[in-house]
Amino acid sequence: MLIKTRSRLELKESDVTSPEWYGNRRQFLRLGAAMSATAAVGLGLAQQVSAGEKLPNVVKSSFTVDETVNSLEDITHYNNYYEFSTEKTEVAELARNFQTRPWTVEIGGEINKPGRFDIDELIKRYPLEERIYRFRCVEAWSMVVPWVGFPLAKLIKDLDPRGNAKFVEFTTLRDPERMPGQKRDVLPWPYVEGLRMDEALHPLTLLAVGLYGETLPPQNGAPIRLITPWKYGFKSIKSIVRIRLLEQQPMNTWQQVGPREYGFYANVNPEVDHPRWSQARERRIGEFLKRKTLPFNGYAEQVASLYTGMDLRKFY
Ligand SMILES: Nc1nc2c(c(=O)[nH]1)N[C@H]1C(S)=C(S)[C@@H](COP(=O)(O)O)O[C@H]1N2
Ligand SMILES: [Mo]
């Protein structure tokens, strides 16, 4: 399936900060509340949103790239998810019956209003946006994916982070019975990732709960996963059960297993090769010829300023 979208990435800093934008948001919220009230009558109030269901009230975000979107088949059958398999084409089948209800996300650490959220409560808490993002794996393949989610910043700001919170740590579920790959020591479990606070609060940083307008399939990180489109795919941690705000930089799984090859920042950078292969080019899944990899995966205009003054060869 090919979808053509807007003519360019339209994210501007003013989109997030102008009163006009906030005005629009309020309008969306009002509209959303009215619509979900109507929908609730039809569906029954206790209705839960579960895997493979259409997500309600998704608005199209202007934080979207104009590129051919990969097919649902590609996105759901070429996965890195070591909790199920190290074989990309095997994950879909092995994760097929992974149960994502009930599911709780715990949010704590350096935050004044810590909490435990039921996933369905979280999904309804903020207006959901569809955002078409480039996605670049460190293995030099890429896709374009229509995620559905909400900015992580909204959640963090609502929970009143403390001044000493400098980093955010994310943790995947650890349950070897439900995630058979965890019975092997291919990685230390659970999978952990981290962001610096300003990266976590950046408007591009998304908590994704859906794909192609529906709830996430298990192989893509259901029921909730992180998406940081300017970083290599391994930062986009799947099936999150815990988020903690920390004063110190957390250790992330891939840096822990291969510090020479994987760092904390993991910004897409065609000028800094992986020790075992070049990062200059990538294979877009579905294409034959390789294309050039763009600095920050094409999001330099939006994120480069987060790293001014940093040596990106050192902080890879
Ligand atoms: N918990 C967990 N999250 C994970 C991974 C993993 O193995 N376990 N793999 C990462 C890697 S290397 C990539 S490229 C992306 C793949 O996401 P996708 O299958 O939705 O394309 O998930 C990332 N998040
Ligand atoms: Mo990856």
Side-chain angles (χ1 to χ4, degrees), residues 79-83 135 137 172 191 220 225 233-234 236 238:
N79 303 103
N80 271 331
Y81 202 172
Y82 282 19
E83 282 83 345
F135 188 89
C137 175
T172 294
Y191 195 101
N220 294 95
R225 58 105 49 103
F234 69 83
S236 293
K238 295 175 169 181

Side-chain angles (χ1 to χ4, degrees), residues 164-188:
N164 59 340
K166 298 287 189 297
F167 296 90
V168 184
E169 177 201 68
F170 306 83
T171 306
T172 294
L173 176 71
R174 186 186 166 279
D175 186 343
E177 293 311 313
R178 288 156 73 194
M179 297 176 140
Q182 290 181 335
K183 290 179 178 168
R184 299 193 297 144
D185 303 328
V186 285
L187 290 176

